[in-house]
Amino acid sequence: MEPIPHARVPRSTALFLDFLSHFEGVREFYDHRPFDLASYQAAAEGVRAQNPNRSALVEILETQNRAFGCSEKSLENIRRLASSETFAVVTGQQVGLFSGPAFTLYKALTAVRLAARLSEQGLPSVPVFRLATEDHDLEEVASAQTLDDDYHLVLLKDPGHAPAPRAPVGRIQLTTTIESLLKQFEDLTPPGEPRDRLMADLRESYKTGEPWGNAFARLMARLFAPWGVVLLDPLDGAIHRLALPVYDRVLREAETVRRRLLARSEALVKAGYHAQVHVAEDSTTLFLFSKGGRQPVTFRDGRFYVDDAKPLPPEELQAHLQSNPLDFTSNALLRPVVQDSLLPTVAYVAGAAELGYLGQSQVLYKFLSGRAQPVIFPRAAFTLVDRRIERWMQKYGVTVEDAWKGEEHLSKKVASNGFSAGWAERLEHSEKEIGEMLAGFTRWGGSRERFRAPRSSGPSYSPGTSALWQASWHRPSRFRSGKFPAFIFSAARVTACSTESSNAFRPIRRSTRLWSIKERG
């Protein structure tokens, strides 16, 4: 495994790079340094002081995880959370088809490793994975992509059966299409015992009529059973009742919440960074379930609006919250505050984009929940290369970073390295053969001048055309035996590798196409 600094990874943002390597530059946007044990100790003290309702939380988590078919290790970790001396390393992701993008698994694995490391350092911690079941963007989770034997991307997609437009994905059911997708995925996966185990987990999890969030949770419970990852589904009335105080404060302080977020976005831009999430002038960070869908709640002139319909007085919306808390959900900026008001979170494992909006959310933590933001820890990132690709990389002297630079750069490097590798020795050998052949020709009583056929018998050449190229075209009949044909064919191979239409060049073109697909995937 070769580590590659994030500074050399394409499209890494300035905010992300400074967070990793120059934390002082972003210190005002985050509460803790990510690589300092003292940060985790300070965050743990903040959790102890907050004293969340652990007994109610443990009961909810145990009910949810049993329904997902979790391991005994997960149940053990849930029970550990009942102690005020146990903390959570949290991460989360959308509930994508067949686990979604690969980094979903990388986030969970990072949380597992960080929790283990903190436990070794005297801060007992368990990994928790939050399911983004409240999101309403079905297109973002409805498909998965894999590769066929020729490294072409293959799209697998279930359209989903949604009860209404903008319905939360946790309530959308899988259709009968899922059965054919499972068969297609199996056919595209190399046979063997690992495939058999994976397909058994997938078929046990993804079934016609199963809610999207449940299918994802069942698969994650199986994949991470050995490490006891605890799953949290926020699309639960009991969870929303626990989070009710945060939602209530957001409604009461809607104007202040918006001003804080707008000021933070402006500060990020002024510091030379970016605001990951756009904050509208009428934003409240809340959504309300209405007519089966998730509608934004806005605030203008002292009144609330749901999907820009008729205005609602604040007291009416607050009464709705008290009677039906599950109808209210948070946007990306409020979500981490709600999450960490429920969990004893000492650290959150985030991707680069998440890290951007967590820099905005930081201004809401103490204001809404009374506690500081937990430590933000960057998730691990990997580029996986199979053995077949690895052999091509070695053969043509290319690296993963070459692939990142785009198809044109990669094509040139593959062509250059593929042509040059080994040809110095071959040309030296051919030159020796030419010398021996001409020496023998002179001994046979001939003249070296007779070696050249009349120019009219073949193609014309510029003055700089190499003797090798000319010799490959001019083939006097009297030299079609012995060493001379050996030279002809040797020279012809040199010629072939300089023309894209030749068979000799096709492996290079194939590797270029293959790599461009791999890079985009």
Side-chain angles (χ1 to χ4, degrees), residues 281-312:
E281 289 292 335
D282 58 358
S283 172
T284 65
T285 71
L286 291 174
F287 290 90
L288 178 69
F289 288 123
S290 177
K291 301 176 182 178
R294 192 167 177 249
Q295 310 299 338
V297 178
T298 56
F299 184 74
R300 299 189 298 272
D301 301 324
R303 291 188 175 186
F304 290 99
Y305 295 80
V306 178
D307 195 27
D308 288 330
K310 64 178 183 179
L312 296 172

PDB file of all heavy atoms in Angstrom, residues 281-312:
ATOM      1  N   GLU A 281     -31.794  33.309   2.389  1.00  0.00           N
ATOM      2  CA  GLU A 281     -32.183  34.405   3.278  1.00  0.00           C
ATOM      3  C   GLU A 281     -33.389  34.068   4.148  1.00  0.00           C
ATOM      4  O   GLU A 281     -33.626  34.714   5.164  1.00  0.00           O
ATOM      5  CB  GLU A 281     -32.491  35.661   2.447  1.00  0.00           C
ATOM      6  CG  GLU A 281     -31.256  36.309   1.830  1.00  0.00           C
ATOM      7  CD  GLU A 281     -30.323  36.927   2.875  1.00  0.00           C
ATOM      8  OE1 GLU A 281     -30.818  37.288   3.971  1.00  0.00           O
ATOM      9  OE2 GLU A 281     -29.128  37.047   2.602  1.00  0.00           O
ATOM     10  N   ASP A 282     -34.164  33.060   3.751  1.00  0.00           N
ATOM     11  CA  ASP A 282     -35.342  32.686   4.547  1.00  0.00           C
ATOM     12  C   ASP A 282     -35.218  31.275   5.128  1.00  0.00           C
ATOM     13  O   ASP A 282     -36.205  30.671   5.536  1.00  0.00           O
ATOM     14  CB  ASP A 282     -36.618  32.787   3.694  1.00  0.00           C
ATOM     15  CG  ASP A 282     -36.559  31.918   2.447  1.00  0.00           C
ATOM     16  OD1 ASP A 282     -35.510  31.261   2.224  1.00  0.00           O
ATOM     17  OD2 ASP A 282     -37.552  31.882   1.693  1.00  0.00           O
ATOM     18  N   SER A 283     -34.000  30.741   5.189  1.00  0.00           N
ATOM     19  CA  SER A 283     -33.800  29.366   5.650  1.00  0.00           C
ATOM     20  C   SER A 283     -34.060  29.218   7.152  1.00  0.00           C
ATOM     21  O   SER A 283     -33.756  30.109   7.946  1.00  0.00           O
ATOM     22  CB  SER A 283     -32.368  28.924   5.352  1.00  0.00           C
ATOM     23  OG  SER A 283     -32.089  27.669   5.955  1.00  0.00           O
ATOM     24  N   THR A 284     -34.606  28.039   7.524  1.00  0.00           N
ATOM     25  CA  THR A 284     -34.756  27.703   8.946  1.00  0.00           C
ATOM     26  C   THR A 284     -33.987  26.442   9.321  1.00  0.00           C
ATOM     27  O   THR A 284     -33.955  26.076  10.492  1.00  0.00           O
ATOM     28  CB  THR A 284     -36.234  27.458   9.300  1.00  0.00           C
ATOM     29  OG1 THR A 284     -36.699  26.292   8.593  1.00  0.00           O
ATOM     30  CG2 THR A 284     -37.098  28.647   8.956  1.00  0.00           C
ATOM     31  N   THR A 285     -33.408  25.757   8.329  1.00  0.00           N
ATOM     32  CA  THR A 285     -32.713  24.464   8.480  1.00  0.00           C
ATOM     33  C   THR A 285     -33.686  23.318   8.753  1.00  0.00           C
ATOM     34  O   THR A 285     -33.252  22.213   9.075  1.00  0.00           O
ATOM     35  CB  THR A 285     -31.646  24.482   9.601  1.00  0.00           C
ATOM     36  OG1 THR A 285     -32.287  24.534  10.885  1.00  0.00           O
ATOM     37  CG2 THR A 285     -30.693  25.650   9.450  1.00  0.00           C
ATOM     38  N   LEU A 286     -35.007  23.539   8.616  1.00  0.00           N
ATOM     39  CA  LEU A 286     -36.001  22.513   8.924  1.00  0.00           C
ATOM     40  C   LEU A 286     -36.789  22.098   7.687  1.00  0.00           C
ATOM     41  O   LEU A 286     -36.968  22.877   6.748  1.00  0.00           O
ATOM     42  CB  LEU A 286     -36.989  23.026   9.981  1.00  0.00           C
ATOM     43  CG  LEU A 286     -36.462  23.245  11.394  1.00  0.00           C
ATOM     44  CD1 LEU A 286     -37.549  23.881  12.253  1.00  0.00           C
ATOM     45  CD2 LEU A 286     -35.990  21.933  12.004  1.00  0.00           C
ATOM     46  N   PHE A 287     -37.269  20.839   7.729  1.00  0.00           N
ATOM     47  CA  PHE A 287     -38.235  20.335   6.771  1.00  0.00           C
ATOM     48  C   PHE A 287     -39.448  19.833   7.552  1.00  0.00           C
ATOM     49  O   PHE A 287     -39.338  19.429   8.712  1.00  0.00           O
ATOM     50  CB  PHE A 287     -37.663  19.173   5.953  1.00  0.00           C
ATOM     51  CG  PHE A 287     -36.597  19.571   4.973  1.00  0.00           C
ATOM     52  CD1 PHE A 287     -35.259  19.579   5.343  1.00  0.00           C
ATOM     53  CD2 PHE A 287     -36.928  19.915   3.671  1.00  0.00           C
ATOM     54  CE1 PHE A 287     -34.277  19.926   4.438  1.00  0.00           C
ATOM     55  CE2 PHE A 287     -35.955  20.270   2.759  1.00  0.00           C
ATOM     56  CZ  PHE A 287     -34.616  20.275   3.139  1.00  0.00           C
ATOM     57  N   LEU A 288     -40.604  19.838   6.877  1.00  0.00           N
ATOM     58  CA  LEU A 288     -41.829  19.321   7.479  1.00  0.00           C
ATOM     59  C   LEU A 288     -42.475  18.341   6.509  1.00  0.00           C
ATOM     60  O   LEU A 288     -42.609  18.639   5.312  1.00  0.00           O
ATOM     61  CB  LEU A 288     -42.797  20.467   7.777  1.00  0.00           C
ATOM     62  CG  LEU A 288     -44.159  20.075   8.376  1.00  0.00           C
ATOM     63  CD1 LEU A 288     -43.974  19.551   9.808  1.00  0.00           C
ATOM     64  CD2 LEU A 288     -45.109  21.264   8.371  1.00  0.00           C
ATOM     65  N   PHE A 289     -42.872  17.179   7.018  1.00  0.00           N
ATOM     66  CA  PHE A 289     -43.594  16.229   6.186  1.00  0.00           C
ATOM     67  C   PHE A 289     -44.997  16.766   5.939  1.00  0.00           C
ATOM     68  O   PHE A 289     -45.765  17.012   6.873  1.00  0.00           O
ATOM     69  CB  PHE A 289     -43.672  14.861   6.855  1.00  0.00           C
ATOM     70  CG  PHE A 289     -42.363  14.138   6.873  1.00  0.00           C
ATOM     71  CD1 PHE A 289     -41.811  13.712   8.068  1.00  0.00           C
ATOM     72  CD2 PHE A 289     -41.675  13.880   5.696  1.00  0.00           C
ATOM     73  CE1 PHE A 289     -40.605  13.051   8.093  1.00  0.00           C
ATOM     74  CE2 PHE A 289     -40.467  13.214   5.705  1.00  0.00           C
ATOM     75  CZ  PHE A 289     -39.926  12.799   6.909  1.00  0.00           C
ATOM     76  N   SER A 290     -45.305  16.930   4.667  1.00  0.00           N
ATOM     77  CA  SER A 290     -46.614  17.458   4.290  1.00  0.00           C
ATOM     78  C   SER A 290     -47.053  16.777   3.000  1.00  0.00           C
ATOM     79  O   SER A 290     -46.279  16.703   2.037  1.00  0.00           O
ATOM     80  CB  SER A 290     -46.535  18.973   4.082  1.00  0.00           C
ATOM     81  OG  SER A 290     -47.763  19.490   3.648  1.00  0.00           O
ATOM     82  N   LYS A 291     -48.265  16.245   2.984  1.00  0.00           N
ATOM     83  CA  LYS A 291     -48.797  15.533   1.823  1.00  0.00           C
ATOM     84  C   LYS A 291     -47.887  14.387   1.405  1.00  0.00           C
ATOM     85  O   LYS A 291     -47.693  14.122   0.213  1.00  0.00           O
ATOM     86  CB  LYS A 291     -49.008  16.511   0.656  1.00  0.00           C
ATOM     87  CG  LYS A 291     -49.960  17.652   0.973  1.00  0.00           C
ATOM     88  CD  LYS A 291     -50.061  18.636  -0.179  1.00  0.00           C
ATOM     89  CE  LYS A 291     -50.977  19.801   0.177  1.00  0.00           C
ATOM     90  NZ  LYS A 291     -51.062  20.808  -0.908  1.00  0.00           N
ATOM     91  N   GLY A 292     -47.300  13.718   2.387  1.00  0.00           N
ATOM     92  CA  GLY A 292     -46.467  12.550   2.120  1.00  0.00           C
ATOM     93  C   GLY A 292     -45.043  12.842   1.744  1.00  0.00           C
ATOM     94  O   GLY A 292     -44.231  11.923   1.586  1.00  0.00           O
ATOM     95  N   GLY A 293     -44.695  14.126   1.566  1.00  0.00           N
ATOM     96  CA  GLY A 293     -43.353  14.492   1.135  1.00  0.00           C
ATOM     97  C   GLY A 293     -42.663  15.405   2.136  1.00  0.00           C
ATOM     98  O   GLY A 293     -43.272  15.904   3.083  1.00  0.00           O
ATOM     99  N   ARG A 294     -41.400  15.638   1.910  1.00  0.00           N
ATOM    100  CA  ARG A 294     -40.562  16.433   2.805  1.00  0.00           C
ATOM    101  C   ARG A 294     -40.437  17.841   2.219  1.00  0.00           C
ATOM    102  O   ARG A 294     -39.760  18.043   1.214  1.00  0.00           O
ATOM    103  CB  ARG A 294     -39.195  15.748   2.919  1.00  0.00           C
ATOM    104  CG  ARG A 294     -38.277  16.244   4.003  1.00  0.00           C
ATOM    105  CD  ARG A 294     -37.130  15.254   4.169  1.00  0.00           C
ATOM    106  NE  ARG A 294     -36.155  15.693   5.146  1.00  0.00           N
ATOM    107  CZ  ARG A 294     -34.917  16.082   4.846  1.00  0.00           C
ATOM    108  NH1 ARG A 294     -34.506  16.088   3.589  1.00  0.00           N
ATOM    109  NH2 ARG A 294     -34.088  16.458   5.789  1.00  0.00           N
ATOM    110  N   GLN A 295     -41.053  18.823   2.871  1.00  0.00           N
ATOM    111  CA  GLN A 295     -41.107  20.176   2.340  1.00  0.00           C
ATOM    112  C   GLN A 295     -40.272  21.126   3.201  1.00  0.00           C
ATOM    113  O   GLN A 295     -40.285  21.028   4.430  1.00  0.00           O
ATOM    114  CB  GLN A 295     -42.559  20.676   2.311  1.00  0.00           C
ATOM    115  CG  GLN A 295     -43.541  19.726   1.658  1.00  0.00           C
ATOM    116  CD  GLN A 295     -43.232  19.443   0.204  1.00  0.00           C
ATOM    117  OE1 GLN A 295     -42.556  20.227  -0.453  1.00  0.00           O
ATOM    118  NE2 GLN A 295     -43.739  18.327  -0.305  1.00  0.00           N
ATOM    119  N   PRO A 296     -39.557  22.079   2.572  1.00  0.00           N
ATOM    120  CA  PRO A 296     -38.750  23.025   3.349  1.00  0.00           C
ATOM    121  C   PRO A 296     -39.614  24.018   4.123  1.00  0.00           C
ATOM    122  O   PRO A 296     -40.658  24.472   3.639  1.00  0.00           O
ATOM    123  CB  PRO A 296     -37.918  23.743   2.277  1.00  0.00           C
ATOM    124  CG  PRO A 296     -38.717  23.599   1.022  1.00  0.00           C
ATOM    125  CD  PRO A 296     -39.422  22.281   1.119  1.00  0.00           C
ATOM    126  N   VAL A 297     -39.170  24.324   5.335  1.00  0.00           N
ATOM    127  CA  VAL A 297     -39.834  25.339   6.158  1.00  0.00           C
ATOM    128  C   VAL A 297     -39.016  26.619   6.062  1.00  0.00           C
ATOM    129  O   VAL A 297     -37.809  26.615   6.344  1.00  0.00           O
ATOM    130  CB  VAL A 297     -39.929  24.888   7.630  1.00  0.00           C
ATOM    131  CG1 VAL A 297     -40.585  25.977   8.475  1.00  0.00           C
ATOM    132  CG2 VAL A 297     -40.706  23.576   7.734  1.00  0.00           C
ATOM    133  N   THR A 298     -39.659  27.707   5.658  1.00  0.00           N
ATOM    134  CA  THR A 298     -38.966  28.991   5.553  1.00  0.00           C
ATOM    135  C   THR A 298     -39.575  29.985   6.538  1.00  0.00           C
ATOM    136  O   THR A 298     -40.662  29.768   7.086  1.00  0.00           O
ATOM    137  CB  THR A 298     -39.061  29.548   4.116  1.00  0.00           C
ATOM    138  OG1 THR A 298     -40.443  29.644   3.743  1.00  0.00           O
ATOM    139  CG2 THR A 298     -38.340  28.624   3.140  1.00  0.00           C
ATOM    140  N   PHE A 299     -38.847  31.102   6.743  1.00  0.00           N
ATOM    141  CA  PHE A 299     -39.277  32.098   7.738  1.00  0.00           C
ATOM    142  C   PHE A 299     -39.085  33.494   7.156  1.00  0.00           C
ATOM    143  O   PHE A 299     -37.971  33.879   6.796  1.00  0.00           O
ATOM    144  CB  PHE A 299     -38.451  31.935   9.009  1.00  0.00           C
ATOM    145  CG  PHE A 299     -38.874  32.848  10.131  1.00  0.00           C
ATOM    146  CD1 PHE A 299     -40.042  32.602  10.837  1.00  0.00           C
ATOM    147  CD2 PHE A 299     -38.098  33.956  10.475  1.00  0.00           C
ATOM    148  CE1 PHE A 299     -40.428  33.439  11.879  1.00  0.00           C
ATOM    149  CE2 PHE A 299     -38.477  34.796  11.510  1.00  0.00           C
ATOM    150  CZ  PHE A 299     -39.655  34.538  12.210  1.00  0.00           C
ATOM    151  N   ARG A 300     -40.187  34.220   7.014  1.00  0.00           N
ATOM    152  CA  ARG A 300     -40.139  35.574   6.458  1.00  0.00           C
ATOM    153  C   ARG A 300     -41.119  36.466   7.215  1.00  0.00           C
ATOM    154  O   ARG A 300     -42.276  36.064   7.443  1.00  0.00           O
ATOM    155  CB  ARG A 300     -40.511  35.575   4.962  1.00  0.00           C
ATOM    156  CG  ARG A 300     -39.591  34.764   4.084  1.00  0.00           C
ATOM    157  CD  ARG A 300     -39.887  34.998   2.596  1.00  0.00           C
ATOM    158  NE  ARG A 300     -41.243  34.595   2.235  1.00  0.00           N
ATOM    159  CZ  ARG A 300     -41.571  33.359   1.860  1.00  0.00           C
ATOM    160  NH1 ARG A 300     -40.642  32.396   1.838  1.00  0.00           N
ATOM    161  NH2 ARG A 300     -42.819  33.084   1.509  1.00  0.00           N
ATOM    162  N   ASP A 301     -40.650  37.631   7.590  1.00  0.00           N
ATOM    163  CA  ASP A 301     -41.513  38.639   8.219  1.00  0.00           C
ATOM    164  C   ASP A 301     -42.259  38.095   9.429  1.00  0.00           C
ATOM    165  O   ASP A 301     -43.462  38.358   9.622  1.00  0.00           O
ATOM    166  CB  ASP A 301     -42.518  39.177   7.189  1.00  0.00           C
ATOM    167  CG  ASP A 301     -41.838  39.809   5.985  1.00  0.00           C
ATOM    168  OD1 ASP A 301     -40.783  40.442   6.176  1.00  0.00           O
ATOM    169  OD2 ASP A 301     -42.348  39.645   4.858  1.00  0.00           O
ATOM    170  N   GLY A 302     -41.553  37.301  10.222  1.00  0.00           N
ATOM    171  CA  GLY A 302     -42.143  36.808  11.463  1.00  0.00           C
ATOM    172  C   GLY A 302     -43.100  35.651  11.299  1.00  0.00           C
ATOM    173  O   GLY A 302     -43.765  35.244  12.266  1.00  0.00           O
ATOM    174  N   ARG A 303     -43.204  35.086  10.090  1.00  0.00           N
ATOM    175  CA  ARG A 303     -44.113  33.962   9.857  1.00  0.00           C
ATOM    176  C   ARG A 303     -43.377  32.822   9.150  1.00  0.00           C
ATOM    177  O   ARG A 303     -42.419  33.045   8.406  1.00  0.00           O
ATOM    178  CB  ARG A 303     -45.300  34.406   9.008  1.00  0.00           C
ATOM    179  CG  ARG A 303     -46.253  35.345   9.725  1.00  0.00           C
ATOM    180  CD  ARG A 303     -47.492  35.591   8.900  1.00  0.00           C
ATOM    181  NE  ARG A 303     -48.469  36.401   9.621  1.00  0.00           N
ATOM    182  CZ  ARG A 303     -49.696  36.659   9.167  1.00  0.00           C
ATOM    183  NH1 ARG A 303     -50.092  36.168   8.008  1.00  0.00           N
ATOM    184  NH2 ARG A 303     -50.526  37.407   9.879  1.00  0.00           N
ATOM    185  N   PHE A 304     -43.868  31.627   9.395  1.00  0.00           N
ATOM    186  CA  PHE A 304     -43.306  30.441   8.756  1.00  0.00           C
ATOM    187  C   PHE A 304     -44.124  30.077   7.525  1.00  0.00           C
ATOM    188  O   PHE A 304     -45.342  30.301   7.467  1.00  0.00           O
ATOM    189  CB  PHE A 304     -43.299  29.250   9.728  1.00  0.00           C
ATOM    190  CG  PHE A 304     -42.316  29.403  10.848  1.00  0.00           C
ATOM    191  CD1 PHE A 304     -42.738  29.833  12.108  1.00  0.00           C
ATOM    192  CD2 PHE A 304     -40.976  29.119  10.655  1.00  0.00           C
ATOM    193  CE1 PHE A 304     -41.836  29.970  13.143  1.00  0.00           C
ATOM    194  CE2 PHE A 304     -40.063  29.254  11.682  1.00  0.00           C
ATOM    195  CZ  PHE A 304     -40.489  29.683  12.935  1.00  0.00           C
ATOM    196  N   TYR A 305     -43.442  29.465   6.574  1.00  0.00           N
ATOM    197  CA  TYR A 305     -44.087  28.985   5.355  1.00  0.00           C
ATOM    198  C   TYR A 305     -43.608  27.557   5.094  1.00  0.00           C
ATOM    199  O   TYR A 305     -42.423  27.251   5.291  1.00  0.00           O
ATOM    200  CB  TYR A 305     -43.737  29.860   4.139  1.00  0.00           C
ATOM    201  CG  TYR A 305     -44.252  31.280   4.242  1.00  0.00           C
ATOM    202  CD1 TYR A 305     -43.555  32.229   4.999  1.00  0.00           C
ATOM    203  CD2 TYR A 305     -45.407  31.674   3.582  1.00  0.00           C
ATOM    204  CE1 TYR A 305     -44.014  33.536   5.098  1.00  0.00           C
ATOM    205  CE2 TYR A 305     -45.877  32.986   3.677  1.00  0.00           C
ATOM    206  CZ  TYR A 305     -45.173  33.903   4.434  1.00  0.00           C
ATOM    207  OH  TYR A 305     -45.631  35.190   4.534  1.00  0.00           O
ATOM    208  N   VAL A 306     -44.505  26.703   4.656  1.00  0.00           N
ATOM    209  CA  VAL A 306     -44.155  25.334   4.282  1.00  0.00           C
ATOM    210  C   VAL A 306     -44.372  25.190   2.792  1.00  0.00           C
ATOM    211  O   VAL A 306     -45.511  25.300   2.305  1.00  0.00           O
ATOM    212  CB  VAL A 306     -45.014  24.304   5.058  1.00  0.00           C
ATOM    213  CG1 VAL A 306     -44.654  22.894   4.606  1.00  0.00           C
ATOM    214  CG2 VAL A 306     -44.798  24.465   6.548  1.00  0.00           C
ATOM    215  N   ASP A 307     -43.272  24.986   2.075  1.00  0.00           N
ATOM    216  CA  ASP A 307     -43.329  24.887   0.606  1.00  0.00           C
ATOM    217  C   ASP A 307     -44.002  26.109  -0.006  1.00  0.00           C
ATOM    218  O   ASP A 307     -44.773  26.012  -0.978  1.00  0.00           O
ATOM    219  CB  ASP A 307     -44.056  23.602   0.188  1.00  0.00           C
ATOM    220  CG  ASP A 307     -43.826  23.269  -1.289  1.00  0.00           C
ATOM    221  OD1 ASP A 307     -42.775  23.665  -1.823  1.00  0.00           O
ATOM    222  OD2 ASP A 307     -44.703  22.618  -1.886  1.00  0.00           O
ATOM    223  N   ASP A 308     -43.746  27.270   0.602  1.00  0.00           N
ATOM    224  CA  ASP A 308     -44.277  28.546   0.108  1.00  0.00           C
ATOM    225  C   ASP A 308     -45.802  28.571   0.031  1.00  0.00           C
ATOM    226  O   ASP A 308     -46.389  29.287  -0.789  1.00  0.00           O
ATOM    227  CB  ASP A 308     -43.673  28.889  -1.260  1.00  0.00           C
ATOM    228  CG  ASP A 308     -42.221  29.298  -1.145  1.00  0.00           C
ATOM    229  OD1 ASP A 308     -41.846  29.847  -0.090  1.00  0.00           O
ATOM    230  OD2 ASP A 308     -41.453  29.059  -2.093  1.00  0.00           O
ATOM    231  N   ALA A 309     -46.471  27.783   0.833  1.00  0.00           N
ATOM    232  CA  ALA A 309     -47.937  27.831   0.886  1.00  0.00           C
ATOM    233  C   ALA A 309     -48.361  28.983   1.809  1.00  0.00           C
ATOM    234  O   ALA A 309     -47.581  29.880   2.106  1.00  0.00           O
ATOM    235  CB  ALA A 309     -48.488  26.495   1.374  1.00  0.00           C
ATOM    236  N   LYS A 310     -49.563  28.921   2.309  1.00  0.00           N
ATOM    237  CA  LYS A 310     -50.051  30.009   3.162  1.00  0.00           C
ATOM    238  C   LYS A 310     -49.200  30.105   4.427  1.00  0.00           C
ATOM    239  O   LYS A 310     -48.684  29.110   4.926  1.00  0.00           O
ATOM    240  CB  LYS A 310     -51.515  29.778   3.527  1.00  0.00           C
ATOM    241  CG  LYS A 310     -51.750  28.540   4.372  1.00  0.00           C
ATOM    242  CD  LYS A 310     -53.228  28.414   4.735  1.00  0.00           C
ATOM    243  CE  LYS A 310     -53.463  27.215   5.647  1.00  0.00           C
ATOM    244  NZ  LYS A 310     -54.891  27.093   6.037  1.00  0.00           N
ATOM    245  N   PRO A 311     -49.045  31.324   4.981  1.00  0.00           N
ATOM    246  CA  PRO A 311     -48.196  31.503   6.169  1.00  0.00           C
ATOM    247  C   PRO A 311     -48.779  30.805   7.398  1.00  0.00           C
ATOM    248  O   PRO A 311     -49.992  30.662   7.549  1.00  0.00           O
ATOM    249  CB  PRO A 311     -48.164  33.021   6.356  1.00  0.00           C
ATOM    250  CG  PRO A 311     -49.394  33.520   5.669  1.00  0.00           C
ATOM    251  CD  PRO A 311     -49.629  32.592   4.518  1.00  0.00           C
ATOM    252  N   LEU A 312     -47.860  30.356   8.276  1.00  0.00           N
ATOM    253  CA  LEU A 312     -48.250  29.706   9.528  1.00  0.00           C
ATOM    254  C   LEU A 312     -47.704  30.521  10.690  1.00  0.00           C
ATOM    255  O   LEU A 312     -46.519  30.842  10.727  1.00  0.00           O
ATOM    256  CB  LEU A 312     -47.678  28.286   9.590  1.00  0.00           C
ATOM    257  CG  LEU A 312     -48.166  27.282   8.543  1.00  0.00           C
ATOM    258  CD1 LEU A 312     -47.358  25.999   8.631  1.00  0.00           C
ATOM    259  CD2 LEU A 312     -49.647  27.001   8.747  1.00  0.00           C
TER     260      LEU A 312
END
